[in-house]
């Protein structure tokens, strides 16, 4: 019977192609059918697959656009409350072509939140601003400047970038948990907000492993227990990026 099956199938090699070997009763149907595509009888370029065939396709991550706004947007933190949009624009445009600048203000008090954003016209301009201005002093305050978001493909994240941010966090016994964070909140925003209430040692926003997506909470460490108590008292239920944050001892 096995020899008869081989002879019948080999009559039409354009449909199936088997090696001239006998099959035992224990062989499964998956073993009999080839997992490779075979050409259609009409001769068209379409590929047809026989039943139970399994195909694997390799998905390539979408190419990132280096000119996207996220790659050209610069965060500028710890600026004096007196700095206006015009003054910040003048500071930034010395190092590159500016598209727009915005100092962030509290919508209730109208006071500056001591940070802003500058969107440059190219990635090169954005990098130049970071290189030239980060660590500079403006009216006695050392400003912090960095790209707001490094473009990361979800299917191929830059793990070294995420790990470096996490490894830079300095832990301390004087630490607070910050919950209900907006997805746009960065560690620089946390440092800037909490530094108004005490000496901040470090801060971080927790990320979903392997991605740049925020988990909605973070941590801030201080140099003393008094700073922890002051931060909780002043900032629990305060607004950050439009959301009420929860602050308590970690």
């Amino acid at each position: 019977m096995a020899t008869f099956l081989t002879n019948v199938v080999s009559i039409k090699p354009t449909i199936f192609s088997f090696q001239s070997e006998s099959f035992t009763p224990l062989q499964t149907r998956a073993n009999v059918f080839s997992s490779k595509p075979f050409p259609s009888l009409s001769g068209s370029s379409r590929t047809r697959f026989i039943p139970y065939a399994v195909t694997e396709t390799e998905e390539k991550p979408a190419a990132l656009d280096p000119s996207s706004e996220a790659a050209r947007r610069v965060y500028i933190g710890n600026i004096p409350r007196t700095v206006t949009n015009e003054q910040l624009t003048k500071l930034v445009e010395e190092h590159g072509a500016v598209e727009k600048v915005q100092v962030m203000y509290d919508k209730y008090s109208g006071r500056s939140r001591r940070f802003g954003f500058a969107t440059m016209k190219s990635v090169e301009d954005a990098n130049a601003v970071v290189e030239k201005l980060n660590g500079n002093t403006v009216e006695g305050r050392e400003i912090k400047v960095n790209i707001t978001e490094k473009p990361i493909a979800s299917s191929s994240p830059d793990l070294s970038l995420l790990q470096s941010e996490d490894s830079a966090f300095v832990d301390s016994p004087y630490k607070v948990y910050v919950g209900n964070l907006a997805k746009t909140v960065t560690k620089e925003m946390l440092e800037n907000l909490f530094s108004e209430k005490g000496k901040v040692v470090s801060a971080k926003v927790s990320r979903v492993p392997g991605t740049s997506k925020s988990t909605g909470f973070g941590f801030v460490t201080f140099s003393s227990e008094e700073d922890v108590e002051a931060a909780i008292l002043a900032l629990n239920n305060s607004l950050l990026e439009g959301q009420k944050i929860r602050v308590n001892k970690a």
Side-chain angles (χ1 to χ4, degrees):
M1 176 62 71
T3 306
F4 174 74
L5 175 60
T6 305
N7 292 336
V8 172
V9 174
S10 62
I11 292 175
K12 296 182 179 182
T14 56
I15 299 178
F16 299 100
S17 177
F18 298 117
Q19 295 179 351
S20 57
E21 58 181 330
S22 61
F23 298 95
T24 67
L26 296 177
Q27 284 183 292
T28 63
R29 180 164 45 181
N31 290 336
V32 175
F33 288 105
S34 170
S35 62
K36 296 183 179 180
F38 63 93
S40 64
L41 298 179
S42 61
S44 64
S45 59
R46 294 186 303 172
T47 302
R48 297 182 182 178
F49 294 88
I50 60 177
Y52 306 100
V54 178
T55 60
E56 295 182 359
T57 57
E58 180 181 354
E59 294 184 1
K60 295 182 179 180
L64 297 175
D65 182 5
S67 62
S68 65
E69 184 169 332
R72 298 180 288 112
R73 194 170 186 236
V74 178
Y75 166 86
I76 307 170
N78 202 36
I79 58 177
R81 292 195 189 278
T82 56
V83 171
T84 64
N85 285 332
E86 292 74 19
Q87 291 173 322
L88 190 59
T89 300
K90 288 181 180 179
L91 178 67
V92 172
E93 66 185 3
E94 295 178 5
H95 308 289
V98 178
E99 188 172 294
K100 60 182 177 181
V101 171
Q102 183 179 18
V103 174
M104 305 304 294
Y105 293 91
D106 186 278
K107 63 180 179 180
Y108 296 105
S109 68
R111 299 175 67 195
S112 167
R113 295 168 64 187
R114 288 184 172 170
F115 70 90
F117 298 95
T119 303
M120 310 304 290
K121 290 189 175 180
S122 70
V123 175
E124 291 74 20
D125 288 335
N127 290 332
V129 169
V130 174
E131 182 181 350
K132 300 295 183 181
L133 292 182
N134 186 41
N136 280 10
T137 301
V138 176
E139 296 183 17
R141 299 181 69 90
E142 183 178 318
I143 62 174
K144 300 175 182 179
V145 186
N146 60 271
I147 306 296
T148 57
E149 181 179 350
K150 298 292 185 182
I152 300 176
S154 59
S155 58
S156 180
D158 185 350
L159 296 178
S160 62
L161 175 65
L162 301 175
Q163 291 168 354
S164 64
E165 180 176 313
D166 189 65
S167 62
F169 178 72
V170 179
D171 209 346
S172 163
Y174 312 116
K175 181 166 64 175
V176 297
Y177 162 90
V178 189
N180 198 37
L181 294 178
K183 300 301 182 183
T184 54
V185 172
T186 64
K187 72 181 186 69
E188 289 82 10
M189 292 181 186
L190 289 180
E191 289 173 350
N192 189 61
L193 176 65
F194 282 85
S195 63
E196 298 177 7
K197 307 304 174 184
K199 185 177 180 181
V200 172
V201 174
S202 190
K204 75 172 180 178
V205 174
S206 178
R207 306 286 177 183
V208 176
T211 76
S212 60
K213 184 179 180 181
S214 168
T215 57
F217 68 89
F219 298 94
V220 180
T221 55
F222 295 89
S223 59
S224 70
E225 184 66 26
E226 290 75 17
D227 289 340
V228 169
E229 298 291 346
I232 294 173
L233 182 64
L235 297 175
N236 186 40
N237 290 323
S238 63
L239 285 174
L240 180 60
E241 291 290 284
Q243 290 188 193
K244 280 189 175 183
I245 61 174
R246 299 191 302 271
V247 184
N248 54 263
K249 287 185 179 180

